[in-house]
């Protein structure tokens, strides 16, 4: 006897708002990208070049995020029973991977330029740094309201934040070079941008990878879940217990639950199913509203060919 208990996830009512914010941010970022690319060529600045590379990644990431947000709004089908909900994870993974590559490049090139700094045009560098910062601040303001919606939106927002911090580094480097003539300030700013990029990229890679590997949702202890389930009257064993995350806000759990043989004769099985579903949905930090349980007798469980603990 199996039971599937779920609450409706028909779609995010604010999904269109997220797509609109991403589209605006993408347009702003693409415009600033062109300006910074010209500036990097004119000034020869590593900080500006790194920030431009980051901005290119940012623009690509926002484009991916926009496509992902559009696909996530599509309804489930017979072949895609969760719809495109997990696209957000793939999009975040791709963005983070490219960010990591840019960060490593900036770190290597920055160390080289500390020893042999090229000539930098500080005035032009300052102008393009300010242009980049203004564009990033506007994009941040646009994306901020939806940054907590899902992993995809969070990755997009963090990219813009990191880029804004990178622009600040460019501006500081330009001011230092203009006032003191210390050319290594540009390489130092490039290294700062790399230091901002890499940890956040690693964090997103870890989270997205955890979801794709179907790790237990963070904050959920399956041993405690099993103990609670065993505390339900007539439940004698719980095995094949699995919990994972399909997408942001969609944790799921499944298990085989062994009950007293009498439950099938007395009609207690439906009541047990209801109590188990209520248990996992309300008793833990992660609300497992989407649960699937198979109720079985001890004899049936003993003969299952691929039983897991």
């Amino acid at each position: 006897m199996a039971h599937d208990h779920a609450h409706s996830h028909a779609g995010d009512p604010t999904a269109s708002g997220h797509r609109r914010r991403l589209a605006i941010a993408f347009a702003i970022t693409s415009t600033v990208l062109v300006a910074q690319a010209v500036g990097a060529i004119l000034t020869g600045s590593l900080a500006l070049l790194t920030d431009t590379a980051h901005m290119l990644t940012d623009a690509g990431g926002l484009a991916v995020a926009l496509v992902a947000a559009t696909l996530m709004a599509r309804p489930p089908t017979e072949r895609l029973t969760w719809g495109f909900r997990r696209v957000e994870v793939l999009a975040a993974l791709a963005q983070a991977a490219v960010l990591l590559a840019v960060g490593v490049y900036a770190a290597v090139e920055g160390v080289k330029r500390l020893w042999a700094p090229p000539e930098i045009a500080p005035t032009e560098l300052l102008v393009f740094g300010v242009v980049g910062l203004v564009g990033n601040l506007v994009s941040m303001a646009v994306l901020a309201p939806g940054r907590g919606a899902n992993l995809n939106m969070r990755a997009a927002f963090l990219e813009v934040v990191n880029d804004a911090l990178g622009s600040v580094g460019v501006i500081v480097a330009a001011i230092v070079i203009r006032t003191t003539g210390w050319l290594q300030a540009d390489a130092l700013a490039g290294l700062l941008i790399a230091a901002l990029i890499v940890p956040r990229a690693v964090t997103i890679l870890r989270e997205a990878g955890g979801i794709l590997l179907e790790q237990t949702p963070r904050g959920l202890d399956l041993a405690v879940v099993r103990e609670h389930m065993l505390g339900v009257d007539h439940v004698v064993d719980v095995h094949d217990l699995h919990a994972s995350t399909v997408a942001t806000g969609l944790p799921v759990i499944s298990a085989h639950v062994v009950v007293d043989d009498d439950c099938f004769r007395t009609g207690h099985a439906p009541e047990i199913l209801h109590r188990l579903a209520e248990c996992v949905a309300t008793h833990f930090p992660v609300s497992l509203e989407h649960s699937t349980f198979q109720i079985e007798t001890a004899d049936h469980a003993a003969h299952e060919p691929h039983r897991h603990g």
Side-chain angles (χ1 to χ4, degrees), residues 25-78:
F26 174 68
I28 295 169
T29 301
S30 298
T31 301
V32 176
L33 168 64
V34 174
Q36 283 200 335
V38 173
I41 294 172
L42 293 178
T43 63
S45 164
L46 172 66
L48 192 56
L49 177 63
T50 305
D51 202 32
T52 301
H54 188 192
M55 183 73 80
L56 176 61
T57 306
D58 192 5
L62 288 170
V64 171
L66 180 58
V67 172
T70 302
L71 290 175
M72 285 163 60
R74 293 187 178 182
T77 66
E78 290 295 325

Side-chain angles (χ1 to χ4, degrees), residues 265-290:
R265 291 191 293 269
T266 60
H268 281 144
E271 179 185 348
I272 293 172
L273 283 170
H274 175 74
R275 292 185 61 186
L276 287 170
E278 184 180 30
C279 172
V280 299
T282 60
H283 288 180
F284 308 107
V286 178
S287 179
L288 298 160
E289 295 184 346
H290 201 292

Side-chain angles (χ1 to χ4, degrees), residues 284-300:
F284 308 107
V286 178
S287 179
L288 298 160
E289 295 184 346
H290 201 292
S291 56
T292 304
F293 299 126
Q294 178 171 310
I295 302 295
E296 57 195 24
T297 64
D299 181 65
H300 180 274

Side-chain angles (χ1 to χ4, degrees), residues 107-297:
V108 173
E109 188 65 20
V111 171
K112 289 180 181 178
R113 291 197 179 197
L114 281 176
W115 298 104
E119 288 295 325
I120 303 294
T123 302
E124 290 86 345
L125 182 61
L126 179 62
V127 170
F128 288 110
V130 170
V131 170
L133 179 61
V134 171
N136 285 315
L137 290 176
V138 174
S139 294
M140 284 170 59
V142 171
L143 292 175
R147 67 182 183 277
N150 54 52
L151 193 58
N152 183 47
M153 290 294 293
R154 181 184 167 202
F157 180 76
L158 283 178
E159 282 190 350
V160 176
V161 171
N162 287 338
D163 216 18
L165 293 173
S167 295
V168 171
V170 171
I171 293 170
V172 172
I175 293 174
V176 169
I177 293 172
R178 184 177 176 82
T179 55
T180 69
W182 190 53
L183 295 175
Q184 282 88 346
D186 176 63
L188 201 61
L191 289 170
L192 173 63
I193 297 171
L196 293 170
I197 292 174
V198 172
R200 287 167 174 79
V202 170
T203 297
I204 295 174
L205 280 171
R206 186 186 302 118
E207 291 187 15
I211 292 175
L212 293 177
L213 290 172
E214 300 200 3
Q215 292 179 354
T216 301
R218 183 177 298 178
L220 187 68
D221 187 336
L222 280 189
V224 176
V225 174
R226 187 191 304 271
E227 182 181 348
H228 270 263
M229 293 175 67
L230 287 170
V232 174
D233 289 342
H234 305 292
V235 173
V236 298
D237 188 26
V238 175
H239 63 97
D240 287 288
L241 177 61
H242 303 283
S244 61
T245 304
V246 174
T248 300
L250 188 51
V252 297
I253 187 170
S254 63
H256 289 208
V257 181
V258 181
V259 300
D260 293 328
D261 291 355
D262 289 345
C263 291
F264 290 92
R265 291 191 293 269
T266 60
H268 281 144
E271 179 185 348
I272 293 172
L273 283 170
H274 175 74
R275 292 185 61 186
L276 287 170
E278 184 180 30
C279 172
V280 299
T282 60
H283 288 180
F284 308 107
V286 178
S287 179
L288 298 160
E289 295 184 346
H290 201 292
S291 56
T292 304
F293 299 126
Q294 178 171 310
I295 302 295
E296 57 195 24
T297 64

